[in-house]
């Protein structure tokens, strides 16, 4: 199983970017997917999550500016980031919880590293 993240690019303060992350490989069931970010020397923090039941959760710092969405096949999650500020400069990671087979109740957590972009001040 792999999480392939893409997106990012050059952006100015106040601009927008869209990240995407797709799960590939063999698995039985996919549950929550989300985006985290981590700055140098900082703890990885949740940005937004999208549950298999369609519930979304946002960090206070991005609520109203970022929107998480998910494809109908549920294998791809997106993060639309608007009104970007220098405080959003971080390395972004996508995250997913999967069950590898129907013979297990264990959920495995996977990570994919997203783009590292800088919002200049």
């Amino acid at each position: 199983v792999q999480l392939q993240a893409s997106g990012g690019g050059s952006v100015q303060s106040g601009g927008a970017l869209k990240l995407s992350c797709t799960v590939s490989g063999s698995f039985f069931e996919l549950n929550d997917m989300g985006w985290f970010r981590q700055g140098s020397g900082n703890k990885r923090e949740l940005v937004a999550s999208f549950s298999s039941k369609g519930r979304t959760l946002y960090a206070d710092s991005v609520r109203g500016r970022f929107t998480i969405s998910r494809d109908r096949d549920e294998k791809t999650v997106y993060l639309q980031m608007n009104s970007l500020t220098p405080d959003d400069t971080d390395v972004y990671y996508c995250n997913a919880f999967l069950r590898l087979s129907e013979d297990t109740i264990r959920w495995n957590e996977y990570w994919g590293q997203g783009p590292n972009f800088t919002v200049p001040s």
Side-chain angles (χ1 to χ4, degrees):
V1 174
Q2 287 189 322
L3 270 63
Q4 184 66 44
S6 62
S10 177
V11 64
Q12 297 298 313
S13 185
L17 286 174
K18 187 173 184 176
L19 308 180
S20 64
C21 177
T22 300
V23 179
S24 63
S26 178
F27 57 90
F28 175 69
E29 187 176 4
L30 179 60
N31 202 336
D32 295 5
M33 295 187 72
W35 290 94
F36 287 69
R37 65 186 183 187
Q38 184 173 22
S40 176
N42 294 334
K43 181 180 171 182
R44 192 173 297 184
E45 62 174 10
L46 174 70
V47 176
S49 67
F50 198 115
S51 78
S52 60
K53 293 180 170 56
R55 288 191 294 265
T56 58
L57 181 68
Y58 293 94
D60 288 343
S61 59
V62 307
R63 188 175 294 112
R65 299 187 298 122
F66 291 12
T67 302
I68 189 169
S69 59
R70 197 160 166 178
D71 270 357
R72 291 187 62 156
D73 68 2
E74 298 188 335
K75 293 183 181 179
T76 299
V77 66
Y78 303 95
L79 185 67
Q80 176 66 47
M81 305 180 291
N82 297 330
S83 303
L84 286 162
T85 75
D87 288 341
D88 296 315
T89 296
D90 273 330
V91 178
Y92 284 69
Y93 298 85
C94 63
N95 170 274
F97 284 88
L98 302 98
R99 196 153 61 105
L100 295 180
S101 82
E102 63 181 312
D103 297 326
T104 179
I105 61 173
R106 178 181 172 182
W107 293 93
N108 294 284
E109 186 175 26
Y110 290 85
W111 294 91
Q113 182 167 334
N116 180 6
F117 60 88
T118 299
V119 184
S121 54

